[in-house]
Amino acid sequence: MKGKTENEEGAKGVVSLEELKKKMADFAKEREWDQFHTPRNLLLAMVGEVGELSEIFQWKGEVPRGLPDWEEKEKQHLGEELSDVLLYLVRLSDICGIDLGNAVLRKLELNAIKYPVSLCKGSSKKHTLLSKSTTSSTTSSSENGVINDGE
């Protein structure tokens, strides 16, 4: 797999989810790995990669945007681990028959409803704590210390 690609418009460096999905499917097929790419196996592999990603930040405390104090080698390693997580996520969504691009757009729309600017601007509060007038089952569940809103 090449690091940069050229899409239909000719813009370099822009990679679509569809292109990643195809590249991952071809990569697995060439190696006869489809037999191993079950939803459970892909999920567990992705969780392992998230662990590796977490190790990069472990013991560093808060890190400023842009990682100004990081060496180029550290940033490259971060990019590799982020890529591993993304590739497993794209492959998992493909194997599960989920259109990840549309799922993401739908989730953004749902989050816009759940977190209206008028209630949450500048706040890090969970949506169930933004308005005292919320009377859904989520609020009553969260009052018991359990959040069950399908996230």
Side-chain angles (χ1 to χ4, degrees), residues 47-92:
V47 167
E49 294 299 337
V50 169
E52 291 181 28
L53 178 60
S54 299
E55 286 178 348
I56 295 172
F57 289 93
Q58 189 175 18
W59 313 122
K60 288 190 180 281
E62 282 302 319
V63 177
R65 287 179 179 215
L67 314 175
D69 300 328
W70 287 34
E71 295 177 16
E72 194 55 39
K73 186 176 179 180
E74 289 178 296
K75 289 181 181 182
Q76 183 176 354
H77 183 214
L78 175 60
E80 291 168 0
E81 297 305 333
L82 286 167
S83 297
D84 285 339
V85 172
L86 176 61
L87 290 171
Y88 275 120
L89 179 62
V90 168
R91 184 68 172 151
L92 176 61

Side-chain angles (χ1 to χ4, degrees), residues 79-145:
E80 291 168 0
E81 297 305 333
L82 286 167
S83 297
D84 285 339
V85 172
L86 176 61
L87 290 171
Y88 275 120
L89 179 62
V90 168
R91 184 68 172 151
L92 176 61
S93 68
D94 184 25
I95 293 298
C96 291
I98 301 297
D99 180 332
L100 190 57
N102 282 330
V104 167
L105 292 175
R106 180 175 181 276
K107 184 62 177 177
L108 285 170
E109 289 173 1
L110 292 172
N111 283 348
I113 294 166
K114 191 185 289 185
Y115 295 97
V117 174
S118 62
L119 292 178
C120 69
K121 191 171 187 176
S123 173
S124 63
K125 289 181 181 177
K126 178 86 174 156
H127 69 95
T128 54
L129 302 175
L130 289 172
S131 172
K132 292 181 181 180
S133 64
T134 304
T135 58
S136 70
S137 61
T138 304
T139 302
S140 61
S141 296
S142 67
E143 289 170 356
N144 296 325

Side-chain angles (χ1 to χ4, degrees), residues 35-52:
Q35 61 186 321
F36 309 116
H37 284 192
T38 64
R40 177 187 173 275
N41 286 349
L42 291 167
L43 174 64
L44 292 176
M46 185 175 66
V47 167
E49 294 299 337
V50 169
E52 291 181 28

